[in-house]
Amino acid sequence: MDPEEKRHIVIIGGGIIGCTTAYFLTRHPKFNPALHRITLLEATAIASGASGKAGGLLALWAYPECLVPLSYRLHKELAAEHGGAERWGYRRVGCGTITAVVKDSDIKSKSAPAPMPGSIPAENGNAPAPLPIQSTKADGDEKENKTWEKLPKQDEKAAGLLKRSPLPPDLDWMDGELVRSYEEMGNPGSTETAQVHPFLFTTSIAELAKEKGVDIRLGARVTKINHSKMGLRSIEYEDRNADEKGRIAHIDDVTDAIVTAGPWTGKLLPRTKVESLRAHSVVFNVDVSPYAVFTDIQLPNTYVPEHRARKGQKRKHRGNVDPEVYARPNGEVYACGEPDTLIPLPETSDLVQCDEDQCDDLVAYLGTISPALGSASIKAKQACYLPRHMRFGEERSPLVGPTSVSGLWVASGHTCWGIQNGPATGCLMAEMLLDGNATSADVDKLDPRKFKV
């Protein structure tokens, strides 16, 4: 590619893929701000979709294999360079899958009144009195005790139950009596896991790209990509912040357009076959030990969560449920459940409908096996749409690379691993645009042209 050629690169979508692409373009050795303009168009706000409402798990056993090792390494390097531990919650976490069996008697015992943690038993019918918050001194410094570090002393019977529990000793926010098995996630030699806070990571990367000159336009909903056999011609978008007269805007000098619009990619480029899948999630206010837990919970056939029973509804589960749970370093726990296709993808992320009952299902199911989550307050109930690349009714790997139209690129369809694979995707897209080919990883099988895009 001609290093002296002027280029206007337009990125469509302000999720993790679009933001990392903008970031790595500005960090590429061949990037020249005197010749290269980068504009990022986002219909609502940065990380307003799945990139702000995901779990944020990073794992060497994720997929596709051609992206994972590079992306995992880049996450570590980005955190080291930009203070990711403090800025976006980057850290190592334990990760495992548990099976648990919950019986009617377990649910009944949890519904009976009991003293809350940090309280003393009531006397003469009086309500429990809260214990005063205490601090301990270590090496002359006062340190506030975290809830999950302040375990009550146990009698011999309780200690025996703990020893028989298959859970790691510090995974103390799950009920070990109900857990039948625990297995570390991953493959031999690749069980390492880490995490980021998705919203903080995505918005931080966007800010770092902006500092290098990327023009980020919010409220810019792309409606049409005009092109011919000769290549790109223009991009048309709705400026949602303008009055009616100036609402339709154009970019006529575009040389490259990268579609990183997540589940909306299929709306702009139907040939990509990128579809959407709605996912609900809940964020708890509770401080627990750093684990990501994939669950398989067997519930009684008669169990109906209270919020559904109050409405006269029957159970929605089929006997087994499998929420995913991720502890975060800022006193949060994130949980998500089964996705659905009940509501079509709206025009923009700010119009996504959240079914609060599905969120309350998550809260109820996890409350059966985790006293900590069962008693925690709720910070957020939310929904988003994941992008998945479908072919012949089956989910395929994401699309990363050039299309059959000169200057038109696609990076989308990452399903639940968008945060994990965002850095590698952005890095490789930057190499493709400025070097002419990807050099950091072999992603030939992700080439959109192989799928006639």
Side-chain angles (χ1 to χ4, degrees):
M1 308 190 88
D2 184 357
E4 297 302 317
E5 178 188 5
K6 284 192 174 184
R7 298 172 72 174
H8 186 182
I9 302 168
V10 177
I11 300 169
I12 302 171
I16 186 59
I17 306 301
C19 292
T20 51
T21 299
Y23 172 90
F24 280 102
L25 279 169
T26 61
R27 266 65 179 183
H28 193 283
K30 293 181 181 176
F31 175 72
N32 183 348
L35 296 173
H36 304 145
R37 289 174 57 203
I38 301 174
T39 301
L40 188 152
L41 303 177
E42 163 53 43
T44 53
I46 298 298
S48 60
S51 295
K53 299 178 176 66
L57 183 66
L58 315 176
L60 285 170
W61 41 265
Y63 60 85
E65 292 182 4
C66 58
L67 286 177
V68 169
L70 171 63
S71 212
Y72 194 89
R73 174 173 62 81
L74 289 174
H75 267 291
K76 189 178 295 186
E77 293 175 359
L78 287 168
E81 182 178 354
H82 299 295
E86 299 78 21
R87 195 166 182 175
W88 56 75
Y90 176 85
R91 67 174 179 177
R92 289 281 300 274
V93 292
C95 182
T97 177
I98 68 170
T99 58
V101 177
V102 180
K103 300 177 181 178
D104 280 314
S105 57
D106 300 317
I107 293 174
K108 290 177 182 177
S109 66
K110 284 184 172 59
S111 62
M116 294 293 291
S119 66
I120 57 175
E123 294 182 5
N124 302 322
N126 295 325
L131 290 173
I133 297 176
Q134 299 179 344
S135 62
T136 58
K137 291 186 177 181
D139 299 325
D141 297 324
E142 291 191 0
K143 294 184 178 181
E144 183 179 334
N145 285 332
K146 292 183 178 179
T147 303
W148 57 268
E149 293 175 339
K150 191 169 54 181
L151 292 174
K153 292 183 179 179
Q154 299 165 316
D155 58 24
E156 291 184 5
K157 181 179 179 181
L161 289 171
L162 182 62
K163 291 176 182 177
R164 291 197 297 272
S165 169
L167 293 173
D170 57 338
L171 182 48
D172 50 13
W173 43 281
M174 291 289 176
D175 190 337
E177 294 184 50
L178 305 181
V179 175
R180 297 292 184 267
S181 67
Y182 174 90
E183 294 183 9
E184 189 177 21
M185 290 288 286
N187 302 316
S190 60
T191 58
E192 182 178 323
T193 49
Q195 71 176 166
V196 295
H197 188 295
F199 179 81
L200 297 178
F201 178 62
T202 306
T203 53
S204 294
I205 292 297
E207 186 61 33
L208 290 167
K210 187 177 181 180
E211 289 173 4
K212 291 290 185 177
V214 174
D215 178 9
I216 297 179
R217 303 181 189 179
L218 304 181
R221 184 177 73 89
V222 174
T223 55
K224 193 172 183 181
I225 302 172
N226 296 308
H227 61 84
S228 66
K229 292 182 180 179
M230 301 299 292
L232 284 175
R233 296 168 60 185
S234 65
I235 290 177
E236 183 177 306
Y237 68 93
E238 174 193 13
D239 185 350
R240 302 173 75 197
N241 298 316
D243 56 28
E244 290 299 324
K245 290 184 179 180
R247 209 162 177 82
I248 302 302
H250 298 80
I251 299 179
D252 297 319
D253 63 344
V254 56
T255 58
D256 301 271
I258 311 170
V259 182
T260 63
W264 286 273
T265 299
K267 299 283 188 181
L268 284 171
L269 300 175
R271 287 187 300 171
T272 61
K273 305 293 184 185
V274 173
E275 299 180 1
S276 61
L277 198 62
R278 186 175 67 158
H280 285 83
S281 56
V282 174
V283 181
F284 299 84
N285 284 308
V286 62
D287 193 9
V288 298
S289 55
Y291 274 90
V293 183
F294 293 75
T295 71
D296 180 3
I297 307 169
Q298 181 181 319
L299 296 170
N301 289 330
T302 57
Y303 175 63
V304 180
E306 288 185 14
H307 66 281
R308 293 196 179 275
R310 286 195 299 268
K311 297 179 180 181
Q313 298 176 353
K314 297 181 180 179
R315 65 185 174 93
K316 293 294 183 180
H317 63 88
R318 300 183 181 87
N320 280 65
V321 295
D322 55 358
E324 300 173 13
V325 194
Y326 307 92
R328 288 176 175 168
N330 58 338
E332 292 181 0
V333 171
Y334 169 96
C336 59
E338 294 181 354
D340 68 69
T341 56
L342 298 175
I343 306 295
L345 181 72
E347 280 194 350
T348 51
S349 60
D350 54 338
L351 299 177
V352 171
Q353 296 181 39
C354 176
D355 182 350
E356 192 166 335
D357 281 341
Q358 289 202 44
C359 293
D360 289 338
D361 286 340
L362 276 171
V363 175
Y365 298 155
L366 290 169
T368 65
I369 63 166
S370 173
L373 298 182
S375 60
S377 62
I378 305 300
K379 182 175 183 178
K381 298 177 183 178
Q382 57 198 13
C384 62
Y385 285 81
L386 303 176
R388 55 177 183 167
H389 173 214
M390 301 295 292
R391 295 283 163 171
F392 308 109
E394 295 183 1
E395 187 177 300
R396 301 299 178 95
S397 295
L399 299 168
V400 179
T403 71
S404 56
V405 176
S406 178
L408 182 59
W409 311 74
V410 175
S412 187
H414 293 71
T415 60
C416 59
W417 290 113
I419 300 296
Q420 150 67 38
N421 291 325
T425 303
C427 173
L428 294 167
M429 289 302 300
E431 292 174 352
M432 290 180 193
L433 267 82
L434 298 179
D435 289 329
N437 61 289
T439 57
S440 295
D442 181 2
V443 290
D444 182 63
K445 69 177 184 178
L446 309 184
D447 191 328
R449 294 169 298 187
K450 291 183 177 293
F451 301 96
K452 298 182 179 180
V453 178

